[in-house]
Amino acid sequence: MNTNAFRSSWNCRPRTVVRGLRATGALALVALALLPVRAAENVWLGSLDLSHVRQGWGQAQADKTVTGKPLSIAGQKFEHGVGTHASSTFWVELGGSADRFQAAVGVDDGTTSDKASVTFKLAGDGRTLWESGVMRRGQPAKPVDVEVKGIKSLVLLVGDAGDGTDFDHADWADARFIVSGAKPQAVSAPAEPAVILTPKPGPAPRINGPLIYGCRPGHPFLYRIPTQGERPMMWSADGLPATLKLDPASGIVTGTAPDRGEYEVVFNARNRHGSAKRMFKIVAGDTLALTPTMGWNHWYAHYDRITDKLVREAADVMVSSGMADVGYQYVSIDDCWMNAEKNADPLRVGPLRDAQGNIIPNRHFPDMPALTAYIHAKGLKAGIYTSPGPRTCGGFAGAWQHEAQDAARFATWGFDLLKYDWCSYGEIAEKDPDPELVKFKKPYILMGGLLQQQPRDIVLNLCQYGMGEVWKWGAEVGGQSWRTAGDLGFELNRIFEVALKNAEHRDWQKPGAWNDPDYIQIGLIGNARGMGEPMPCPLTPSEQYAFMSLWCLMASPLFYSGDMGRLDEFTINVLCNPELIEVNQDPLGQCARVVPLGAETFAMVKDMADGSKAIGLFNRSEFPAKVTATWVQLGLKGSQRVRDLWREKELGNMSGEYGADVPRHGGVVVRMWPGP
Ligand code: GLA
């Protein structure tokens, strides 16, 4: 039953001709009298095509909550409306022919937690028309009655009120348009052309990659000098420790890491178009990953379809696409390379371990040492995955009670990185009487120690979704990076929120210790919920640029997780801008500081080792915006030389403030050096 109290006040009366006559002359009177009179009518929001609604969880439902139940806000029931979930965006084309939008909004009673809190907002042709403020569970529905006359594009937005989207069931109850012209149409957000911003690399050599590199003395050393430019190319190095050798034709350095100490090396590259130089400091000691790790991980492209062949293909493409020339290095296998007790694919079912307890890869991985050798031959590194629990998240064999054996196995197979994913370890932790924090740390202390005992460098990526504030202790247990949150694949429409949350932990980040907000998911990726085949990602071109910009400014590990076999030019362009990657790989290792600017705009400011600053200006709103930051906000003084990093273009000297037109859900990134 509809008990909406203010329904009676809504303006549903037919329009009369009389109102239109007052200010018109006799001619107009005649003309108007000949026009058919249209009565204003109600168009329920729920009658529009709700497949256009983009939201953080589930699907928008007509006349029901997001979970399919009757709509109810603080005990008040509603027959009509749209049940959605934060963060939600719904674009409606009104074409100027609607008069009013009316609704009653609130958090649905069906949510199971008091943590539910949302904001509702209406934006019309780039202007905010109405905002609810923060609304929580149990709060009575707020009436909305907004004039939308003349508005062409209306956007209905539900935000997470800044505390994440969990439990945020939101209702546009009794929502309707009062319309006297054409019926409103639900549409997708405006299409954007995939504009390539970065000029193609020139034919002359340009050496990229980190300026500083950590390794452990006496361990195997492998480094492919990331260099753009036409081949053939010849490389040389000054100051290379005697235990290392550089292949001049491939630019790959191999050998044994030197004794503890710092070694200043200069790499040189030459081809028929010119030459280039770059510093490379080798620090032989205890700390690995002195700059954020970069590579590819199979998860969001291939899920439980991963094979040896696909991993080899990724290694091939990392080189052929130019990704390795800007610094991508690790080719990483995620879950599902082991056997499971049960799986739809018979080739992934078999004994989990041999008679000695050694882990057995499934039949899609016939020869792990051959696979890592294939990757290493290209100068790249290999990554693998397991869980401290008995089973991985995908239900495959985990390392529980075989940790030492598995760590040794990964080392002999030749892996250079391990992602250690909590998954079923919860079952073990549950029975453990120790305090919570001790339980969170325990499996990682064990594996961190074991990896340090191996005769090769194996970088440890902790994956436990941020439990126990992992950023405070991830480095102490032997990790080089740690996921700060759950799977980003489920939250691709929230990259700004996820980034802002990740950046809150900036003080804990330093060289060798990185906050990991999860992988770059652009180009072709499979929908994370359905673990589907790779398809074009749901992000707009501007969102993809913003994604990469945020990750570079935060000095996050840069792992692409999309289909390498079908990389297109646009995706390569977003992944491979060497000036953005230089920001990511800067030796200071700083995560940018966030500077709020407007309600939906902010800056990120990252100090660079050379005294410059990398600055991102971001626009989270549904419409293009001019975003301006002053020198005071950015921590700058005097004249600055400004360079647009995506376009690799000098913008001249500026003082006082910098502003840019930033597209919907987009960002611009500049670097500023004290000038002139
Ligand atoms: C978890 C992790 C993901 C991925 C899957 C594999 O969800 O967070 O990154 O490794 O497991 O099952």
Side-chain angles (χ1 to χ4, degrees):
M1 188 188 65
N2 185 337
T3 56
N4 187 329
F6 42 86
R7 189 177 182 193
S8 54
S9 70
W10 289 354
N11 174 12
C12 310
R13 282 162 297 163
R15 268 191 172 177
T16 58
V17 179
V18 180
R19 217 170 64 194
L21 296 183
R22 277 189 202 128
T24 55
L27 203 61
L29 194 146
V30 173
L32 273 172
L34 294 174
L35 283 174
V37 176
R38 282 209 59 167
E41 57 171 327
N42 272 343
V43 176
W44 294 109
L45 185 67
S47 71
L48 308 191
D49 178 358
L50 300 184
S51 68
H52 291 285
V53 181
R54 261 176 90 181
Q55 60 185 46
W57 186 83
Q59 301 280 320
Q61 310 244 11
D63 305 334
K64 292 195 184 79
T65 69
V66 66
T67 52
K69 309 255 164 55
L71 297 163
S72 166
I73 302 170
Q76 191 179 357
K77 306 274 186 267
F78 298 89
E79 226 176 280
H80 294 286
V82 170
T84 180
H85 194 285
S87 301
S88 151
T89 310
F90 190 11
W91 280 75
V92 182
E93 277 311 311
L94 302 180
S97 53
D99 297 338
R100 305 195 78 77
F101 175 77
Q102 299 173 326
V105 298
V107 172
D108 192 89
D109 295 334
T111 187
T112 53
S113 166
D114 283 337
K115 286 194 190 142
S117 61
V118 299
T119 55
F120 293 83
K121 179 170 156 172
L122 288 173
D125 292 343
R127 254 182 337 112
T128 298
L129 302 178
W130 184 85
E131 280 179 293
S132 65
V134 177
M135 296 199 66
R136 300 180 195 282
R137 180 161 87 144
Q139 200 175 323
K142 255 192 198 170
V144 189
D145 185 4
V146 174
E147 175 165 335
V148 293
K149 263 193 198 119
I151 300 275
K152 296 206 164 51
S153 279
L154 186 75
V155 192
L156 287 79
L157 296 147
V158 180
D160 68 0
D163 63 353
T165 57
D166 290 355
F167 311 105
D168 284 353
H169 299 208
D171 297 339
W172 294 97
D174 254 348
R176 70 186 77 186
F177 295 96
I178 313 299
V179 172
S180 45
K183 195 181 160 197
Q185 296 292 322
V187 290
S188 298
E192 263 183 39
V195 177
I196 289 182
L197 296 180
T198 305
K200 273 200 187 320
R206 174 192 166 112
I207 306 181
N208 301 303
L211 295 168
I212 188 161
Y213 182 90
C215 54
R216 297 208 174 106
H219 285 184
F221 188 101
L222 176 67
Y223 185 74
R224 181 187 189 279
I225 305 170
T227 317
Q228 292 173 299
E230 190 184 283
R231 273 39 173 190
M233 196 178 285
M234 292 294 281
W235 285 264
S236 64
D238 305 320
L240 202 63
T243 55
L244 300 179
K245 69 173 197 306
L246 165 63
D247 173 12
S250 65
I252 298 174
V253 182
T254 52
T256 303
D259 290 344
R260 192 169 281 273
E262 298 195 356
Y263 304 82
E264 306 258 351
V265 180
V266 177
F267 289 137
N268 311 290
R270 186 164 38 82
N271 68 10
R272 70 189 176 104
H273 300 281
S275 63
K277 269 189 197 319
R278 190 162 170 93
M279 290 284 304
F280 186 72
K281 190 199 271 184
I282 298 173
V283 182
D286 302 314
T287 314
L288 304 179
L290 287 175
T291 62
T293 41
M294 291 179 66
W296 171 84
N297 172 290
H298 96 249
W299 186 246
Y300 289 114
H302 305 301
Y303 303 103
D304 58 357
R305 300 179 292 273
I306 189 64
T307 60
D308 172 288
K309 189 163 171 273
L310 285 166
V311 177
R312 286 174 194 244
E313 173 192 70
D316 294 344
V317 175
M318 196 173 277
V319 173
S320 65
S321 65
M323 284 175 71
D325 295 341
V326 291
Y328 291 89
Q329 203 183 13
Y330 290 91
V331 179
S332 287
I333 310 170
D334 205 275
D335 200 351
C336 312
W337 61 266
M338 324 76 168
N339 275 318
E341 270 151 10
K342 270 201 251 157
N343 193 268
D345 176 356
L347 294 181
R348 290 180 208 271
V349 179
L352 308 186
R353 293 180 179 271
D354 68 13
Q356 287 72 47
N358 292 313
I359 183 103
I360 304 176
N362 66 46
R363 277 167 286 164
H364 290 291
F365 290 89
D367 189 341
M368 283 295 197
L371 176 56
T372 62
Y374 184 85
I375 294 168
H376 291 156
K378 296 173 185 291
L380 303 175
K381 292 176 179 158
I384 196 156
Y385 164 104
T386 190
S387 166
R391 276 162 286 98
T392 66
C393 298
F396 291 78
W400 171 236
Q401 292 186 324
H402 293 276
E403 296 84 357
Q405 214 169 359
D406 286 358
R409 196 75 171 169
F410 298 152
T412 32
W413 279 346
F415 283 98
D416 309 289
L417 177 148
L418 175 68
K419 171 174 171 183
Y420 207 37
D421 191 354
W422 180 268
C423 303
S424 65
Y425 189 80
E427 297 165 14
I428 310 297
E430 227 170 63
K431 297 188 202 108
D432 187 338
D434 275 337
E436 200 166 61
L437 191 58
V438 175
K439 294 199 283 194
F440 286 146
K441 289 184 181 178
K442 205 176 272 186
Y444 293 100
I445 291 175
L446 176 60
M447 186 50 82
L450 287 165
L451 292 183
Q452 276 165 33
Q453 287 162 28
Q454 304 309 314
R456 60 184 299 113
D457 292 349
I458 303 180
V459 162
L460 176 60
N461 173 224
L462 276 57
C463 179
Q464 47 85 288
Y465 340 116
M467 293 186 299
E469 303 187 302
V470 63
W471 41 90
K472 296 189 176 167
W473 49 266
E476 149 203 327
V477 301
Q480 282 75 33
S481 61
W482 38 84
R483 280 267 298 278
T484 52
D487 291 12
L488 181 62
F490 300 143
E491 310 199 71
L492 274 186
N493 61 343
R494 296 184 68 238
I495 49 163
F496 289 107
E497 287 96 322
V498 169
L500 289 170
K501 196 83 205 141
N502 182 72
E504 283 175 15
H505 318 308
R506 64 188 292 269
D507 290 347
W508 302 96
Q509 179 161 305
K510 57 178 192 238
W514 308 104
N515 292 317
D516 172 8
D518 210 353
Y519 306 131
I520 303 282
Q521 296 161 64
I522 64 173
L524 286 121
I525 58 166
N527 172 287
R529 278 182 212 286
M531 292 185 22
E533 292 283 348
M535 309 230 294
C537 76
L539 301 173
T540 64
S542 294
E543 288 167 339
Q544 298 185 50
Y545 278 117
F547 196 158
M548 188 70 184
S549 305
L550 292 161
W551 264 234
C552 287
L553 285 158
M554 294 190 296
S556 305
L558 281 186
F559 275 75
Y560 176 54
S561 193
D563 189 351
M564 295 286 271
R566 285 182 290 162
L567 270 183
D568 56 53
E569 206 192 341
F570 177 79
T571 308
I572 293 174
N573 170 75
V574 177
L575 292 173
C576 293
N577 177 303
E579 300 196 20
L580 260 294
I581 289 174
E582 187 156 284
V583 171
N584 176 269
Q585 293 290 301
D586 185 71
L588 275 190
Q590 192 186 73
C591 168
R593 155 176 86 85
V594 175
V595 183
L597 296 174
E600 292 180 299
T601 56
F602 66 95
M604 274 205 179
V605 187
K606 183 182 197 294
D607 295 333
M608 301 282 287
D610 69 349
S612 65
K613 286 187 199 295
I615 296 164
L617 296 182
F618 295 97
N619 171 19
R620 299 165 67 182
S621 83
E622 290 301 310
F623 302 94
K626 170 98 186 200
V627 183
T628 302
T630 65
W631 269 204
V632 174
Q633 288 168 317
L634 299 175
L636 292 168
K637 283 203 176 89
S639 171
Q640 299 283 326
R641 172 163 80 84
V642 184
R643 184 170 170 85
D644 179 330
L645 298 191
W646 278 113
R647 293 173 182 81
E648 298 184 346
K649 200 172 137 197
E650 292 296 322
L651 300 180
N653 286 334
M654 298 188 192
S655 317
E657 62 172 39
Y658 171 68
D661 292 320
V662 186
R664 163 184 185 266
H665 297 187
V668 299
V669 185
V670 293
R671 190 161 165 185
M672 297 196 192
W673 292 262

